[in-house]
Amino acid sequence: MSGARQVKFYQVGSLAAGNRLLAPALRSGQADPDRSNALTCGHRACQGCGEALGARYVLDAAQRASGGKVIAVNATGCLEVFSTPYPETSWQLPWLHSLFGNAPAVAAGVAAALRAQGRTDVRVIGQGGDGGTVDIGLGCLSGMFERDDDVLYVCYDNEAYMNTGVQRSGATPPAARTATTQTGAPFGQGKSLPLIAMAHGIPYVATATVAGLRDLEAKVHRAMGMRGARYLHVLVPCPLGWGTASHDTVRVARLAERCGLFPVFEAVDGEVTDVTPIRRRIPVEEYLRPQKRYAHLFEPEVRTDVIARLQRAADRNVARFGLAEEEAP
Amino acid sequence: MWKQTEGSRAVAETVAHCRPEVIAAYPISPQTHIVEELSRLVRSGTLDPCEYVNVESEFAAMSMCIGASAAGARAYTATASQGLLYMVEALYNASGLGLPVVMTVANRAIGAPINIWNDHSDSMSQRDSGWIQLYARDNQEAADLHPQAFRLAEELSLPVMVCMDGFVLTHAWERIDVPDQERVDAFLPPFEPRQVLDPAEPVSIGAMVGPDAFTEVRYLAHAKQTQALEAIPRVSAEFGEVFGRVSGGLVHPYACEDADTVVVSLGSVCGTVCDVVDEMRERGVRIGALAVTSFRPFPLEEVRAVLGGARRVVVLERAFSVGVGGIVSANVRTALSGIRLDGHTVVAGLGGRAITKASLHRLFDDALAGRLGELTFLDLDTGLVERELARMARTRRSGPSAENILRDVGSNR
């Protein structure tokens, strides 16, 4: 974890410490007005898009970590579509989009080319949404993992196929309503790609959210300091698909973390090495209620049974990853 | 360097002499010997620098080549049959992006029914993928086409498929002059990409293109293949200057000058056809053969020039378009637009069935006697087909056709 975790500033209400309260070394790179901007303004993402935010945070941090020498390979999806209706590309770094299901293999190809050319200074990032990563791209991603290709792959997880109009993916959580799960996605389905990535024994796996900016940046820096296959799974709320207010993206991401449904941790060589403990844990209901995709759990009647099931899932995460806050000394 | 060797090995050694920097390898018969040999050449340090990557699928193989090529590396892979189909989405992507990947296709049938033997169903299914397609007549040409393929690909920024008949060529041992390193280096300059992913000059590749420009981008793909019609014979001629033999090019006419009947074919069967032409010529029959080496782009003018004076054309194809007939024939007809002559499509050699001289003699005699229809399946066992059709008419649950026919074949042995 970054040093930020040790700082307990409660005065900002959200439990997030303001950047200016930190020592300069601990501040977010995004606070620097002279930072590089991998994904510039003018793109066509929706207001409050978590993915645009996440991609910029990740790629800016990766550029800082590598002296600006980053090549990005993008899967088909929202991020690709909203950023490149030519001549209006928003990408300020070399960027390649090939197909929906092959970004990890294309990125591995770029890495192989760089290795053959002896260019160890240039680093490769593969990126995609949850559909491109956990479903259609999983074969290529698993291949990239098991070969330990020198690629940092980043999944921007908004928990459904948002680009095509909010359909269920393998990352859609139970009970969430999508255009293909009108009564809520079934329990007992779906997959955790961070755990699947860990099972490959790759050097680095981490989860993060767009609410924990310094944590996200620190993880990108750590990943960029390593070689081989690395995986970063970033929760990026989607106002359109989740039915949340555009100004609530960061808040909702923080609630996902604080209720325990989205565990934030990192793993080295397949073993969990660090977690972000939850301060002042909240019941899942507080996370579910602001989201229209869960509205059927509250109207016309409160589905306490379903909410309790989701609460148990959150409780299991807290127990499994040890997310309960340490007692104050 | 002359040696007695297997077609696959000759191709692998030639590819190695082309100095590919990234090779994506996935096994599928009958291509596997090529990537096996390349693996040996890379591990032994003969081919260095080169990243040899064992990928998890053909889709990944082509995707890896896309990434490598976009990063400025010379990229190569090989496949066949189901593997080619599994990478189809990436095939179109490589050509659409204008990436000069070179791939060997060890031609093999497509299932179901599963069949590992040779025909052209695989590469013919990709005739509209935007790749240049060159068909080798023999193993010498299969080897020789690879340096030419890299030259063409990189000159035009288009991917090139070198098609060689599975088993018939890939597994055949013969005396081959494998293009050596020195002469390949003299013939094939280093790869200078037209577009490259480079942090010093960032570009976006693979952007979305709407109706405002899509037609123009697609037209450009066609224009580049049209340029290949000029480049293919030029590159073949330059190859001839360096290596002292004729390989590649657009078409190869054989005894066509005074021919009334011309047989058009692709790949390894061309040699058999030429033998039959020789034998029929001894009987005084005015027959010739036309080998099409470049199927994409299709050399309309060259084909028209050769066939325009004939009275009859027989197109011998190792694949067909179900529900209509010939694939090569349709292209030949386009070349002959406005010219009246008898045209016959003959589907032959499917799934590895041998195309024998005896069958070809019968076939061409039928053509000369006016007994050949528009569409013929060479050596088709009509009895087997009719018995299965009868079973299907008799019983609703007649069962799986392939297995019924196999049982029928077995019981009649």
Side-chain angles (χ1 to χ4, degrees):
Chain A
M1 292 296 95
S2 69
R5 203 184 84 211
Q6 305 306 323
V7 186
K8 295 199 175 192
F9 294 114
Y10 289 88
Q11 61 268 51
V12 289
S14 69
L15 302 182
N19 220 31
R20 62 197 167 85
L21 299 175
L22 293 170
L26 296 177
R27 289 180 189 174
S28 158
Q30 286 292 322
D32 179 358
D34 297 325
R35 71 182 185 275
S36 69
N37 224 349
L39 180 70
T40 57
C41 58
H43 59 69
R44 296 159 186 209
C46 305
Q47 276 195 339
C49 173
E51 189 174 32
L53 207 55
R56 204 181 85 193
Y57 290 168
V58 166
L59 292 172
D60 286 356
Q63 286 202 308
R64 282 193 296 276
S66 64
K69 293 182 176 175
V70 177
I71 293 172
V73 173
N74 217 120
T76 306
C78 280
L79 180 59
E80 166 262 324
V81 171
F82 74 62
S83 61
T84 63
Y86 240 73
E88 298 165 359
T89 183
S90 286
W91 300 103
Q92 302 294 301
L93 44 66
W95 180 90
L96 172 64
H97 160 247
S98 174
L99 297 168
F100 198 5
N102 72 353
V106 174
V110 174
L114 294 170
R115 207 158 47 233
Q117 294 160 348
R119 296 206 62 179
T120 51
D121 55 331
V122 181
R123 309 301 302 277
V124 186
I125 287 189
Q127 54 183 2
D130 51 293
T133 303
V134 317
D135 288 346
I136 198 168
L138 183 58
C140 285
L141 186 60
S142 176
M144 188 207 101
F145 285 164
E146 65 86 9
R147 289 188 303 269
D148 200 21
D149 292 323
D150 190 20
V151 174
L152 168 60
Y153 189 91
V154 186
C155 172
Y156 305 107
D157 179 10
N158 53 24
E159 303 189 330
Y161 289 89
M162 301 313 187
N163 190 41
T164 43
V166 196
Q167 296 83 21
R168 178 196 178 269
S169 81
T172 299
R177 191 179 60 208
T178 69
T180 51
T181 53
Q182 278 90 350
T183 54
F187 280 82
Q189 298 184 5
K191 51 185 144 180
S192 162
L193 208 68
L195 295 180
I196 293 171
M198 285 164 61
H200 287 74
I202 58 174
Y204 188 71
V205 174
T207 66
T209 79
V210 285
L213 175 54
R214 283 186 294 270
D215 174 63
L216 174 57
E217 290 183 342
K219 283 169 176 165
V220 172
H221 275 270
R222 202 157 306 139
M224 294 300 283
M226 299 176 175
R227 293 277 169 178
R230 292 141 291 148
Y231 180 71
L232 181 58
H233 191 103
V234 188
L235 186 72
V236 293
C238 168
L240 180 80
W242 293 18
T244 48
S246 295
H247 58 261
D248 270 346
T249 298
V250 169
R251 186 174 78 94
V252 174
R254 185 172 293 125
L255 295 178
E257 185 182 337
R258 282 184 64 200
C259 72
L261 279 176
F262 189 84
V264 176
F265 64 94
E266 61 183 357
V268 173
D269 297 332
E271 300 295 335
V272 174
T273 50
D274 205 353
V275 300
T276 302
I278 300 172
R279 292 182 195 164
R280 292 195 202 164
R281 195 168 164 220
I282 57 167
V284 293
E285 194 177 326
E286 275 188 48
Y287 166 65
L288 304 173
R289 210 179 261 280
Q291 305 182 49
K292 287 203 182 73
R293 63 175 173 160
Y294 294 114
H296 58 288
L297 303 184
F298 302 97
E299 296 280 345
E301 62 198 38
V302 179
R303 293 292 305 275
T304 49
D305 54 334
V306 179
I307 295 169
R309 234 176 140 176
L310 290 167
Q311 185 62 55
R312 285 198 294 278
D315 294 346
R316 272 196 302 277
N317 280 340
V318 171
R320 177 177 196 170
F321 292 97
L323 301 176
E325 188 180 20
E326 318 94 276
E327 291 300 313
Chain B
M1 190 195 342
W2 285 98
K3 54 166 74 175
Q4 182 75 13
T5 190
E6 193 196 39
S8 295
R9 281 197 172 198
V11 165
E13 286 175 31
T14 309
V15 167
H17 293 156
C18 295
R19 303 186 188 276
E21 293 162 287
V22 174
I23 296 171
Y26 190 80
I28 183 168
S29 300
Q31 165 278 127
T32 312
H33 289 183
I34 298 175
V35 291
E36 283 178 354
E37 180 63 18
L38 280 167
S39 169
R40 274 191 286 275
L41 294 168
V42 173
R43 301 289 176 244
S44 68
T46 310
L47 175 49
D48 182 55
C50 179
E51 290 296 319
Y52 182 95
V53 189
N54 285 296
V55 291
E56 74 284 358
S57 73
E58 289 90 352
F59 179 62
M62 186 47 57
S63 300
M64 175 156 285
C65 287
I66 288 168
S69 189
R74 187 172 282 166
Y76 171 84
T77 190
T79 192
S81 183
Q82 315 294 138
L84 186 70
L85 265 60
Y86 198 49
M87 62 168 70
V88 166
E89 193 190 9
L91 285 181
Y92 278 73
N93 192 253
S95 63
L97 292 173
L99 296 172
V101 178
V102 169
M103 172 167 66
T104 311
V105 174
N107 285 111
R108 170 185 148 181
I110 292 168
I114 185 169
N115 175 299
I116 63 165
W117 292 281
N118 167 244
D119 70 31
H120 290 168
S121 307
D122 49 4
S123 55
M124 280 293 158
S125 78
Q126 295 312 304
R127 62 191 179 275
D128 300 331
S129 64
W131 284 59
I132 289 174
Q133 285 194 349
L134 306 174
Y135 287 77
R137 290 169 293 170
D138 53 37
N139 275 336
Q140 183 66 61
E141 190 164 55
D144 292 349
L145 282 175
H146 283 85
Q148 297 186 43
F150 280 109
R151 267 284 296 272
L152 289 165
E154 291 168 11
E155 187 176 315
L156 297 163
S157 290
L158 272 184
V160 179
M161 212 180 272
V162 178
C163 304
M164 63 188 295
D165 286 321
F167 294 111
V168 181
L169 294 182
T170 55
H171 287 54
W173 284 71
E174 54 185 325
R175 203 162 162 265
I176 299 170
D177 182 10
V178 176
D180 56 61
Q181 189 67 68
E182 198 180 324
R183 284 183 295 172
V184 173
D185 284 345
F187 173 75
L188 179 63
F191 176 30
E192 275 192 46
R194 200 176 275 282
Q195 53 184 349
V196 66
L197 296 166
D198 180 2
E201 285 180 67
V203 289
S204 298
I205 303 175
M208 177 168 253
V209 175
D212 47 346
F214 195 78
T215 303
E216 286 69 24
V217 175
R218 293 306 300 153
Y219 176 78
L220 195 62
H222 179 67
K224 285 204 284 185
Q225 287 237 348
T226 310
Q227 290 173 359
L229 285 172
E230 175 274 321
I232 289 167
R234 173 168 48 77
V235 165
S236 168
E238 286 178 35
F239 184 89
E241 280 167 27
V242 176
F243 292 88
R245 60 176 168 267
V246 177
S247 276
L250 295 170
V251 295
H252 294 279
Y254 182 78
C256 286
E257 294 79 16
D258 62 340
D260 294 328
T261 303
V262 176
V263 182
V264 178
S265 57
L266 283 69
S268 63
V269 78
C270 294
T272 318
V273 172
C274 287
D275 284 354
V276 175
V277 163
D278 284 344
E279 290 167 16
M280 291 181 78
R281 283 256 166 195
E282 282 171 21
R283 286 194 269 134
V285 180
R286 298 212 299 192
I287 187 167
L290 177 65
V292 177
T293 302
S294 169
F295 186 65
R296 283 294 178 274
F298 193 77
L300 293 170
E301 279 179 30
E302 288 73 9
V303 169
R304 186 182 176 91
V306 173
L307 298 180
R311 284 169 45 203
R312 187 182 298 108
V313 57
V314 178
V315 183
L316 198 64
E317 313 201 26
R318 285 193 120 115
F320 72 109
S321 178
V322 181
V324 59
I327 298 168
V328 182
S329 314
N331 290 267
V332 169
R333 281 199 190 96
T334 305
L336 295 175
S337 172
I339 296 175
R340 292 178 61 85
L341 46 62
D342 293 338
H344 306 280
T345 299
V346 180
V347 179
L350 295 185
R353 180 166 294 184
I355 304 176
T356 64
K357 287 206 298 185
S359 293
L360 291 182
H361 270 291
R362 274 198 302 275
L363 179 77
F364 300 156
D365 285 341
D366 282 349
L368 293 166
R371 291 192 297 266
L372 200 60
E374 278 188 20
L375 177 63
T376 306
F377 287 78
L378 187 69
D379 297 334
L380 178 73
D381 189 335
T382 49
L384 279 177
V385 173
E386 278 163 14
R387 281 195 290 282
E388 175 59 9
L389 287 171
R391 273 191 293 271
M392 288 162 73
R394 205 163 50 235
T395 319
R396 176 67 218 166
R397 187 173 286 192
S398 56
S401 285
E403 287 71 8
N404 288 343
I405 289 177
L406 280 177
R407 194 183 310 114
D408 212 351
V409 171
S411 60
N412 286 330
R413 265 197 186 133

